[in-house]
Amino acid sequence: MKFTKVVSTAVPLPFEDIDTDQIIPARFLKATTREGFAENLFRDWRYTKDYTQNPDFVLNQKAYTGEILVAGRNFGCGSSREHAAWSLYDYGFKVVVSSFFADIFKGNALNNGLLPVQVSDAFLKPLLETISSRPQTHVTVDLEKQFIAFEDKEEYFDINPYKKECLLNGYDDIDYLVSIKHDIEAYEASSKII
Amino acid sequence: MGKTLFEKVWEAHVVKTLSGGQEVLYIDRHLIHEVTSPQAFSELEKRGLSLFRNEKMVATADHNVPTKNQHLPIQEELSRKQVDQLIKNCKLHGVELFGLGHPFQGIVHVIGPELGITLPGRTLVCGDSHTSTHGAFGAIAFGIGTSQVAQVMASQCLLQTRPKTMRISVNGQLRKGVGAKDIILHIISKLSASGGTGYFVEYDGSTIRALSMEGRMTLCNMSIEMGARGGMIAPDETTFEYIEGRKFAPRGKDFEKAKTYWSTLYTDEDAQFDSSYTFDSADIHPMITYGTNPGMGIPIQGEIPAIEAINNMESFSKSLKYMGFEPGEALLGKKIDYVFIGSCTNSRIEDLRMVAGYVKNKQKAPHITAIIVPGSKQVEKQAKAEGLHEILAAAGFELREPGCSACLGMNEDKVPNGAYCVSTSNRNFEGRQGPGARTLLASPLVAAITAIEGKIVDIEAHLG
């Protein structure tokens, strides 16, 4: 799951506080594997009560496709379910752009090769407007150089340097933590916590 | 410079600091449940790793279990498979499981504290965002994703960027009918559903000190609803008294020794926080939410904000449309269909006593469906020993068996499409209690009064 650069059209979802219950409702968390969650991504927004497609929802509109999801501030709030990151990734998204991310979701995304790109409100607004009105617009997200660009606009984004290395090289925290087993044992021997 | 409570506990758990500033944090206790653990177990198996410290883990089945006939096999196939997988994994990897049928089974955030697994100064994690509950004891406790569950399984550690610190002080005497749930709903309504993101909160002040452990747990539980990683409260005599004698808590001399250490866990006078807020208890009224995130709360006798007061119209309108409410309108008099009393926020014995105390010798409104789900087998047992089940049944409430239930509707306990539910749980997100369900978050007392009256009433006027 190495991540480098994504150049793609983008899907606008201009709502704030999109919680992980919307991304994947709890009743679809019963699987014991990581695969197959795309089917129920945004389930209750994508489908009406009688399980027909809701034509008003952006993912059901042919004009809007791509590997980048652009959403309003505080994306991914609520439950810690990593299934939210799995379902977005499984659906084909490689990047989520927002002006603010909830902590746990952000960590989960980074642990699954889904890049959360936090931009300013001043950048998000024209980005949402542009991709809504001209869905064929290409957006570039470059992890190595840490920038996001569309048309004549460009913004630098922040990412934890360790997490950046992990994404670029496709390794994760378990590899590292297991490698420092002796430090952990030494800590345990000295800890006075009850 | 002095240290905050958070810094004292955090720094006692740092195994190593990386060049980029990230820290390897040691985790003292790891709680797991059926929904967010199976993929973590498979991840370890895939890598050929075993559990590093299985004796520091405790498992329970709570999220998808039925709350009726728990002695029978689970009817719903996928839920049954997930619970069976947990049983299999715990057996294979030697993890203590308080599963269905066990006298200690219950919601993970109810059983940790009541069994004395949650202790001051500890670090504790679980693949569930409401792990913040355990901070009520002066522990650092936070929710994690499944990849991190696997990391803790493999190393008993997590790589973390240290959050910023926030102090929220609440002072003064609470008004009649106001409790911990109202305090936290009030705070979130002021700070918003993202106001705490990036922070770890410490609650203090005279109002917090006067809260019981149950109240403190309710408060810390909902820290995540303003985006905070967790919330914590310095341990004191109330904490020690609660812990003493609990099943897995230290005993005798060990307890005294522990207490000496726990007594050092407070914020030094000259310690600095990155952010601070102060609230006056006199300003806090019984609260209720009107929208689709926990920040959308108002005093029960208040009005939904008018359009002029709103920044993001698109989200606000979408939310009100879902709820079937109009901007600027009052909630008083709104007819309610369901009342749910339960969840890791409000399903402890004190909550049940509060509800039973109010509904005694009263009858729920005929059109109301009222279910009450105790947080654990221990709570259920205690409620029965006190005769609460009879009082509740006589008032028309259905007392179920323990689990997360209608808080998130993973099992059969769902609120029907379009129905209004006053719920003591923690999230009013769209569809949280079932597709199309409309949730109004409130305290157990507000929920009890609503069940009797069948509609939203001004509880301050009601209580006189």
Side-chain angles (χ1 to χ4, degrees), chain A residues 104-121:
Chain A
I104 306 180
F105 173 80
K106 192 176 183 177
N108 287 341
L110 288 165
N111 281 334
N112 286 278
L114 177 70
L115 180 66
V117 173
Q118 186 163 326
V119 297
S120 65
D121 284 317

Side-chain angles (χ1 to χ4, degrees), chain A residues 45-64:
Chain A
W45 288 355
R46 260 162 88 194
Y47 299 97
T48 59
K49 307 284 182 281
D50 57 1
Y51 298 114
T52 54
Q53 277 199 0
N54 168 15
D56 296 333
F57 187 60
V58 69
L59 292 183
N60 295 328
Q61 296 169 356
K62 284 202 175 66
Y64 299 102

Side-chain angles (χ1 to χ4, degrees), chain A residues 177 187, chain B residues 6 9-16 22-28 123-125 140 142 152 155-160:
Chain A
L177 290 169
Y187 167 84
Chain B
F6 172 79
V9 180
W10 182 278
E11 286 166 11
H13 289 86
V14 175
V15 173
K16 205 175 163 145
Q22 278 211 310
E23 291 166 300
V24 177
L25 191 73
Y26 191 81
I27 303 302
D28 295 313
T123 49
L124 187 150
V125 295
I140 286 183
F142 55 93
V152 181
S155 69
Q156 207 57 36
C157 287
L158 283 172
L159 260 171
Q160 290 284 300

